[in-house]
Amino acid sequence: MTLPDPVTPPAADLPPVAGLPTAAEQAERDPAQRALAAPLLTEFTARLHTVTPVTALWVHGSLALGDYRHGRSDLDLIAVLPTAPDRRLRTELALLHQQLIADRSPAEKLHCTYLSQDALADPAVDHFTFAQGEPMDRPVTAVTRRELLDGGMRLAGAEAVALLPPVGDQELHAHLRTDLRTYWYPVTDRPGPWQRDIWVDFGPITTTRATVALRESRLITKREAIARLPSLDAPSELVADIVARRYGTPLPLTGEQRDQRAEQARLFTRSAIERALE
């Protein structure tokens, strides 16, 4: 499978951040990184067609928009099926993912939500999803839908723009404000989660991406979000830690350093959310 070039959003001219590739450097690296994902996507597409009819299969996230890091980035997929999977098909789809993970360890990062044709227009409906190694139900949000419409990659079937209704700025902004206010802000009251790398990364990055989307009505890559962290007053040690985990090799932390990093990430994310919602 040859993957089409990503539709990379226009990036602002930002000061360099140590260890972070520039937009030009990232664009140069993208083809090789994306080529590494192609065999797994080919295998998944072939296996999926043996389990169920597929109206469309799309990729969003970093593989579609740019800044994909093989082995570190998730592979975010949406499969449109003629009808919502029943209990039998849900079991078969979960088994497909589990077998693929057993055969190809990178498949642990391949996540797919199964969207039925009769629920294409409703972002509030939960859909069967296999992600993080287990089955679950979750919606296809306004952000995901906007990503698919702005630059989603088609692996099979119809293009996203042929099936999904438009997602306007008002709908996008409303979703982002609700997500920041009801999900992310309450998490900043709890110190515990911020001990984990995944929260240290996703909190500042997600909040920064939401801030830009609210101000400029465009979706940016994680690389651009990280490049913006210094201008949003993120602590330099926190920025360096996030950059190393995505683009380099992070240094081991003592317990005291981990506690300090957790507090920096929590407080920065909280402050950034407050400013975004002003």
Side-chain angles (χ1 to χ4, degrees):
M1 174 182 291
T2 301
L3 302 179
D5 292 334
V7 179
T8 305
D13 185 15
L14 300 169
V17 174
L20 182 72
T22 65
E25 289 169 340
Q26 190 59 56
E28 186 177 348
R29 298 175 188 180
D30 270 345
Q33 290 290 316
R34 291 154 53 76
L36 294 172
L40 176 58
L41 292 174
T42 299
E43 181 70 15
F44 174 75
T45 302
R47 293 193 189 195
L48 181 60
H49 277 92
T50 67
V51 172
T52 180
V54 178
T55 303
L57 182 60
W58 306 317
V59 181
H60 61 102
S62 59
L63 189 69
L65 299 179
D67 191 33
Y68 173 74
R69 302 288 296 168
H70 190 66
R72 303 191 187 192
S73 301
D74 291 332
L75 288 167
D76 300 310
L77 276 65
I78 300 288
V80 181
L81 307 184
T83 59
D86 57 17
R87 181 178 299 180
R88 177 194 60 79
L89 182 54
R90 288 164 71 103
T91 299
E92 291 182 358
L93 290 170
L95 183 60
L96 181 158
H97 283 273
Q98 291 161 353
Q99 290 176 335
L100 192 61
I101 291 170
D103 294 342
R104 294 174 175 265
S105 59
E108 293 177 352
K109 291 188 170 295
L110 190 154
H111 307 154
C112 189
T113 295
Y114 296 88
L115 175 61
S116 61
Q117 279 187 258
D118 60 357
L120 285 169
D122 191 345
V125 173
D126 286 333
H127 304 278
F128 177 71
T129 301
F130 195 94
Q132 308 298 337
E134 61 183 7
M136 62 186 72
D137 290 278
R138 66 186 186 190
V140 180
T141 69
V143 171
T144 296
R145 291 164 180 264
R146 180 73 168 252
E147 281 190 355
L148 288 166
L149 292 167
D150 286 355
M153 180 191 303
R154 182 182 66 87
L155 298 180
E159 296 280 1
V161 293
L163 297 179
L164 290 177
V167 177
D169 292 346
Q170 185 175 359
E171 180 182 354
L172 178 65
H173 293 178
H175 167 76
L176 288 168
R177 289 182 176 278
T178 299
D179 192 47
L180 290 176
R181 185 176 61 252
T182 64
Y183 179 77
W184 283 101
Y185 197 69
V187 174
T188 65
D189 280 330
R190 298 156 42 203
W194 302 93
Q195 292 285 333
R196 299 176 58 197
D197 291 346
I198 189 170
W199 287 92
V200 171
D201 291 345
F202 284 173
I205 291 173
T206 299
T207 305
T208 301
R209 296 176 84 183
T211 297
V212 174
L214 288 169
R215 291 176 179 174
E216 304 177 19
S217 295
R218 66 184 184 94
L219 302 179
I220 63 172
T221 65
K222 289 180 179 177
R223 190 210 65 81
E224 184 179 342
I226 295 170
R228 287 175 174 267
L229 289 176
S231 67
L232 295 175
D233 300 324
S236 58
E237 315 94 277
L238 176 63
V239 177
D241 181 73
I242 294 171
V243 169
R245 195 159 25 259
R246 186 166 178 82
Y247 301 98
T249 303
L251 296 174
L253 300 176
T254 65
E256 182 179 355
Q257 288 171 326
R258 185 170 291 276
D259 289 343
Q260 180 183 25
R261 186 192 67 167
E263 193 68 354
Q264 287 178 337
R266 183 180 74 85
L267 293 178
F268 169 76
T269 301
R270 187 176 184 86
S271 174
I273 291 171
E274 290 171 348
R275 284 178 286 174
L277 294 178
E278 286 178 351

